[in-house]
Amino acid sequence: MQPPRKNSGIEPEVLDIDQRRDKIAAMVNAEQFASVQDLARLFGVSQVTIRADIDALSKERRGLRRVRGGIMRGQAPYAETPYEARSRAQAEDKAAIGHAAAAMVQSNDTILLDVGTTTMAIAEALVRRTDLTNVTVFTNGLNLALTLESAYPQIQTVVTGGSLRPLQHSLVEPMATLVLERIRVGIAFIGCNGIDPDFGISTTNLPEAAIKQVIMRAALRVVIVADGSKFGHSTLARICGVEEVDSFLTAGHVDASCATQLKEIGIEIVNARPVD
């Protein structure tokens, strides 16, 4: 659920307890997740009141359960697509992003590569940069680390550790932040599933969102890498606001309205493969 825009003039919906809870349940069943903050703003009540509503709904209604920060359907919020299936989508756009991102890296740099098919394109492009020396890459993606192995010793690869999520070959909590909380890199390249000026940058699962947030804090510069299809959309787990990143590196067609809103607030968008 996307929050109302600031100063939108939309008045909170005033309902009694039963009506409000019925509407919350309907929203969660339709949209799969709703946050405490968004619900409080929507209905014009306190977050304490919304938490009480969530507690009641999680006990009274099958299929709804309380989670950190909100309420969601008991089933998986989104059908997660395995890495191998996603790697075939927008392949040319991802390759263009990978080439442009790798061109931003110089010898002696230290960078962070998030998991994902787009960041894999960056890893592959880095391997082709035979001019690079003494580059250190931290990553929480096992498949990215294996790809970068062929560039040793020009590229030193450090796997951050953690618990394995097999579908994405990624490492998440527990134990995933021990290294990330002790380093500071020049650039972090972070993938996502949705970019919305109001809701922010999002992904389809909570564990990955949490790790991406830690990765952001470990970098002096944060670059979101995502093909054009991700713009104008939001998914389950919010990573951060759009204003919290330094730039977007994309390729392909980008939703014009979304791009305009981002540029109006001073966000840089670099398109490595623009399409009219």
Side-chain angles (χ1 to χ4, degrees), residues 41-215:
R41 182 163 55 246
L42 180 64
F43 295 110
V45 298
S46 70
Q47 293 188 22
V48 172
T49 298
I50 291 298
R51 289 191 182 95
D53 291 340
I54 289 174
D55 284 338
L57 287 169
S58 63
K59 294 175 183 177
E60 297 169 3
R61 311 209 180 188
R62 295 179 62 185
L64 300 181
R65 64 186 179 94
R66 180 174 183 170
V67 295
R68 183 177 181 181
I71 183 171
M72 65 185 291
R73 286 167 58 176
Q75 63 196 63
Y78 287 85
E80 188 172 4
T81 306
Y83 172 93
E84 285 74 16
R86 292 187 297 110
S87 65
R88 295 186 290 272
Q90 285 81 42
E92 291 185 6
D93 290 341
K94 292 171 183 176
I97 294 170
H99 179 77
M104 297 168 60
V105 179
Q106 299 178 3
S107 294
N108 303 310
D109 278 353
T110 302
I111 69 170
L112 248 166
L113 281 185
D114 181 28
V115 300
T117 55
T118 305
T119 49
M120 173 59 83
I122 299 175
E124 292 169 343
L126 284 171
V127 170
R128 294 192 294 270
R129 285 281 309 274
T130 56
D131 59 307
L132 292 175
T133 58
N134 196 36
V135 171
T136 301
V137 179
F138 290 85
T139 184
N140 61 323
L142 293 181
N143 52 346
L144 273 72
L146 290 173
T147 295
L148 291 165
E149 182 182 17
S150 62
Y152 180 86
Q154 288 80 12
I155 297 177
Q156 305 277 340
T157 303
V158 180
V159 180
T160 58
S163 300
L164 178 65
R165 296 189 72 249
L167 280 179
Q168 308 306 333
H169 315 303
S170 64
L171 298 170
V172 297
E173 290 284 44
M175 308 297 285
T177 60
L178 294 178
V179 172
L180 292 171
E181 290 175 342
R182 290 164 172 78
I183 62 172
R184 184 75 69 220
V185 302
I187 307 176
F189 295 101
I190 299 176
C192 68
N193 297 95
I195 300 169
D196 179 85
D198 297 315
F199 184 67
I201 300 159
S202 56
T203 188
T204 56
N205 64 82
L206 297 171
E208 299 259 353
I211 291 299
K212 291 174 192 288
Q213 291 164 356
V214 180
I215 289 174

